[in-house]
Amino acid sequence: SLTDKLQGIFERIRGKGRLDEKTVDEVLREIRLALLEADVNFRVVKEFIARIREQAVGEEVLKSLTPDQQVIRIVRDELIALLGGEAEPIRWAARPPTVFMLCGLQGSGKTTTCAKLARWAKSQGRNPMLVACDLQRPAAVKQLEVLGQQVGVPVFTPQQAGAQDPVRTAQRALEHARAQGNDVLIVDTAGRLQVDEPLMEELQRMHAALQPHETLLVVDATTGQEAVNVAQAFHERLELTGVIMSKMDGDARGGATLSVKAVVGKPVRFVGVGERTDALEPFYPDRVASRILG
Amino acid sequence: VFTRRGVDEELLEELEETLIAADVNVNAVQELLETLRQEAKAQRLREAEDVRACLSALLKGWLGAPAPLTVSATPPTVYLFVGVNGVGKTTSIAKTAHMLQRQGKRALLAAGDTFRAAAIDQLQIWADRLGCDLVKHKEGADPSAVVFDAIQAARARGVDFVLADTAGRQHTHARLMEELKKVHRVAEKALGRPPDEVLLVLDAVAGQNAIRQAEEFARALPLTGIVLTKLDSTSRGGAVLTIRKQLGIPIKLIGLGEKADQMAPFDPDAFVEGLLA
Ligand SMILES: Nc1nc2c(ncn2[C@@H]2O[C@H](COP(=O)(O)OP(=O)(O)OP(=O)(O)O)[C@@H](O)[C@H]2O)c(=O)[nH]1
Ligand SMILES: Nc1nc2c(ncn2[C@@H]2O[C@H](COP(=O)(O)OP(=O)(O)OP(=O)(O)O)[C@@H](O)[C@H]2O)c(=O)[nH]1
Ligand SMILES: [Mg+2]
Ligand SMILES: [Mg+2]
């Protein structure tokens, strides 16, 4: 573990009273390795190391009886600061419905997360409606319908919209929600690659039609180095308002969280911690920081 | 490029970043670059492209020769698809069925995901599109029973291949891993031998956790191969290098999109080219 490695380094220089260049490099190298093993993007790691360099080998560490723990604390505090404060509460729209649009790569957990959000919105006294805008994946609409039933939230489908495309379905859903008095609209979209030009363009058109209050990127906790490029592309196209990290119930270290936060700068709204519709938690930066550090 | 000390450190740094950006495990990168440093010195490599070619050869060495899918002399040949949530198991089954059909073979699909919303519907749509049989039970049924029935049905109908779907599951979930072991046991019992392939489906977008997934699924089941999906994304799936080298599990198939014909046998040369791009 990082603690063991740092302990080893500081053991070797005990009594020397000062840190030489070589030891400084060694300490920073171990931190770098730990963050890369946790899937933090290598450029984000570079910037991070530069930020903590001075502190990590400063007076405080040298004077400490447990320098390894001091370094860990400095790294962890910096991670927490970068991951942002505790989850900011969702602000409901002045004029309903509040529109949430979820997007992301294939299989990231969007459809399931839509249902989780719907259940959560209901628990907040809202009257949500789910919108099935994935006309691409086999049985995607059915999947959302089944989940909608499970959480007791109506699902607006392309059939109901009399539409053959997601943008039209979204537009109709908005009219329908206003007519029916649903004050929260949660829109599921098809998974897509950030480099799929026609699909990214379609997403932009959906965004324009919906004018969402929350545009949330759903990111699988296992996402590796490309998290930065993925998040950047979605953000540039849509102006994301937040991120949801899914599948945090596995043992992925979740470094993608830091990568995405670094490039998008928007809050992590929620964390998905299981397959059931109640498996949605607020984001706790200190927990994620500890996890990234392993 | 070649200094008195050896290969230009700047070039090695550049290669290190390329590999890390491709999700190759950081310890694997250290090992590869150290070997590269020695090889380059021993072979007195001077040009950057020669150093790259040397690295390319090392990477191919780690991946080994391409391994084809097993086909049994005693039909049906049974392939079990396993893996964590959302990696592409169900879609990969459709693609494998399509591939087999192109070879004039018949496949029967087993709807072994009896848990997730509309999982059976999803596979049914694929079966309809492909024109292959689907054996399914009610939602919530025992997945082992579905796979058992599918094997019996394949025998009865003279179908050469059974492709069995399973629900996505996190390897950290002990009960779900036990359920999977039971599916394997029951399939083995129905077949009179272990399933001919136990394929771990991995998402190329995943980073180091792919290695954890492989380790844990390998502890639960005798994995025979990996299906690496979503290589059409910008991710390059470098974590599989460690999986191949340390666990000895060969990558057999790759996914290159969401359509039935977007799957190919694993080609180590093309893969390494992609890593170093
Ligand atoms: N363990 C776990 N599984 C999850 C979580 N969120 C979603 N899943 C599972 O991940 C898989 C994919 O979820 P989906 O909701 O279908 O993902 P998606 O992004 O809508 O997929 P596409 O529409 O195909 O792009 C399913 O098996 C879900 O049950 C989570 O937080 N934890
Ligand atoms: N771009 C791309 N998408 C893929 C590929 N393989 C699968 N997908 C997509 O990934 C998503 C998830 O695929 P599924 O086949 O449902 O994955 P799964 O492992 O069966 O998911 P669960 O059963 O929920 O665990 C779908 O949107 C697929 O179309 C691939 O090779 N490339
Ligand atoms: Mg979906
Ligand atoms: Mg599936």
Side-chain angles (χ1 to χ4, degrees):
Chain A
S1 73
L2 181 59
T3 306
D4 297 336
K5 301 237 180 84
L6 292 178
Q7 273 179 358
I9 294 171
F10 286 112
E11 262 304 308
R12 266 177 279 137
I13 63 145
R14 213 152 50 136
K16 282 196 186 159
R18 56 174 289 281
L19 284 178
D20 61 342
E21 192 70 38
K22 181 166 173 296
T23 310
V24 170
D25 287 346
E26 256 187 275
V27 168
L28 293 174
R29 184 173 165 278
E30 289 305 332
I31 296 168
R32 176 175 178 267
L33 290 180
L35 294 175
L36 288 174
E37 287 240 304
D39 291 323
V40 181
N41 178 271
F42 77 102
R43 289 192 210 282
V44 174
V45 172
K46 233 181 202 165
E47 288 174 21
F48 184 87
I49 298 294
R51 282 174 93 103
I52 63 153
R53 177 175 209 103
E54 268 178 47
Q55 276 185 79
V57 293
E59 282 301 308
E60 213 180 316
V61 171
L62 281 180
K63 297 242 165 81
S64 169
L65 288 171
T66 55
D68 56 301
Q69 291 186 27
Q70 271 297 76
V71 172
I72 299 272
R73 194 185 58 79
I74 289 164
V75 174
R76 195 168 165 275
D77 286 351
E78 186 62 21
L79 281 175
I80 292 170
L82 289 173
L83 289 169
E86 296 241 335
E88 291 173 27
I90 300 273
R91 264 175 272 148
W92 305 108
R95 179 180 170 236
T98 303
V99 181
F100 293 75
M101 182 173 113
L102 273 68
C103 60
L105 296 179
Q106 288 89 345
S108 56
K110 300 173 293 299
T111 305
T112 311
T113 304
C114 280
K116 292 179 182 181
L117 279 177
R119 181 181 174 140
W120 171 81
K122 250 181 106 174
S123 75
Q124 301 291 303
R126 300 285 146 180
N127 182 19
M129 168 176 287
L130 286 159
V131 188
C133 283
D134 181 354
L135 283 79
Q136 161 79 8
R137 168 176 156 151
V141 173
K142 178 90 199 284
Q143 184 186 5
L144 194 63
E145 284 183 303
V146 171
L147 291 171
Q149 270 228 333
Q150 286 178 14
V151 297
V153 169
V155 179
F156 188 78
T157 64
Q159 285 93 307
Q160 284 172 278
Q164 298 285 352
D165 79 273
V167 183
R168 201 87 198 90
T169 304
Q171 287 167 332
R172 283 271 148 80
L174 205 46
E175 299 163 10
H176 188 77
R178 286 198 179 110
Q180 297 287 319
N182 296 96
D183 59 0
V184 174
L185 207 62
I186 298 164
V187 184
D188 187 22
T189 65
R192 69 203 64 213
L193 300 180
Q194 83 278 12
V195 289
D196 187 326
E197 188 53 39
L199 285 189
M200 289 304 283
E201 201 262 332
E202 171 192 91
L203 198 60
Q204 277 178 297
R205 281 185 289 119
M206 284 187 70
H207 189 266
L210 286 167
Q211 307 258 334
H213 301 87
E214 288 288 335
T215 304
L216 304 171
L217 182 69
V218 179
V219 179
D220 189 320
T222 63
T223 308
Q225 293 287 311
E226 280 300 301
V228 162
N229 291 334
V230 173
Q232 198 147 36
F234 276 89
H235 188 44
E236 277 169 16
R237 299 276 195 148
L238 305 176
E239 181 93 42
L240 301 172
T241 61
V243 173
I244 296 182
M245 297 304 296
S246 68
K247 309 178 200 172
M248 291 283 270
D249 49 309
D251 60 2
R253 297 265 291 274
T257 317
L258 184 64
S259 305
V260 171
K261 191 74 178 42
V263 89
V264 171
K266 299 293 167 152
V268 178
R269 290 290 191 197
F270 293 100
V271 166
V273 292
E275 293 198 69
R276 295 177 13 175
T277 54
D278 60 357
L280 193 69
E281 283 181 0
F283 172 64
Y284 298 112
D286 53 340
R287 287 189 202 173
V288 175
S290 297
R291 178 180 182 139
I292 288 175
L293 277 181
Chain B
V1 166
F2 194 81
T3 67
R4 277 212 312 145
R5 270 209 350 251
V7 181
D8 178 12
E9 283 305 315
E10 204 176 300
L11 174 61
L12 287 182
E13 229 182 85
E14 184 191 322
L15 292 172
E16 184 198 37
E17 289 197 344
T18 301
L19 293 175
I20 293 189
D23 286 313
V24 179
N25 177 269
V26 88
N27 299 309
V29 174
Q30 315 284 24
E31 200 179 320
L32 284 160
L33 290 182
E34 189 44 41
T35 307
L36 180 64
R37 210 179 255 116
Q38 292 170 7
E39 278 296 307
K41 197 170 178 184
Q43 295 178 37
R44 299 180 181 249
L45 299 180
R46 290 175 182 283
E47 297 301 318
E49 61 179 77
D50 294 334
V51 175
R52 271 175 185 273
C54 183
L55 178 58
S56 175
L58 287 177
L59 291 166
K60 287 175 193 175
W62 278 45
L63 290 171
L69 287 172
T70 308
V71 180
S72 173
T74 325
T77 292
V78 177
Y79 298 161
L80 186 64
F81 290 74
V82 304
V84 301
N85 309 82
V87 293
K89 299 176 292 298
T90 306
T91 309
S92 297
I93 284 172
K95 292 176 184 180
T96 306
H98 173 81
M99 196 172 68
L100 289 169
Q101 286 176 341
R102 291 274 270 308
Q103 299 167 13
K105 316 268 176 60
R106 283 175 65 206
L108 176 149
L109 311 184
D113 180 352
T114 58
F115 169 74
R116 206 208 67 212
I120 299 171
D121 299 79
Q122 183 185 5
L123 197 55
Q124 182 68 67
I125 290 172
W126 278 117
D128 294 344
R129 285 181 187 176
L130 296 160
C132 36
D133 288 352
L134 175 73
V135 169
K136 59 183 180 181
H137 291 189
K138 291 174 72 176
E139 205 178 281
D142 180 358
S144 302
V146 179
V147 177
F148 186 92
D149 280 0
I151 293 171
Q152 306 293 43
R155 264 203 199 100
R157 300 173 203 180
V159 176
D160 322 291
F161 290 83
V162 174
L163 308 179
D165 197 6
T166 61
R169 69 202 67 223
Q170 293 298 319
H171 49 281
T172 47
H173 203 143
R175 184 176 58 77
L176 294 183
M177 294 307 283
E178 284 307 311
E179 175 188 82
L180 197 57
K181 284 184 195 171
K182 183 178 168 207
V183 171
H184 187 270
R185 272 199 308 276
V186 168
E188 184 168 1
K189 213 156 184 200
L191 204 52
R193 62 176 188 272
D196 303 287
E197 290 282 350
V198 181
L199 299 168
L200 176 65
V201 183
L202 294 176
D203 187 336
V205 176
Q208 300 311 299
N209 195 249
I211 299 170
R212 287 290 306 134
Q213 293 171 27
E215 287 172 340
E216 291 305 313
F217 275 85
R219 278 203 5 222
L221 306 169
L223 299 180
T224 61
I226 285 167
V227 177
L228 185 61
T229 65
K230 308 179 197 173
L231 272 175
D232 49 318
S233 70
T234 52
S235 297
R236 280 164 282 164
V240 302
L241 279 171
T242 300
I243 296 171
R244 179 67 179 91
K245 180 136 193 295
Q246 282 192 358
L247 300 176
I249 310 167
I251 301 117
K252 298 208 170 183
L253 298 167
I254 61 171
L256 294 162
E258 303 192 67
K259 302 202 179 82
D261 61 356
Q262 290 175 326
M263 169 175 267
F266 179 67
D267 173 0
D269 293 347
F271 182 76
V272 168
E273 236 176 273
L275 284 183
L276 295 179

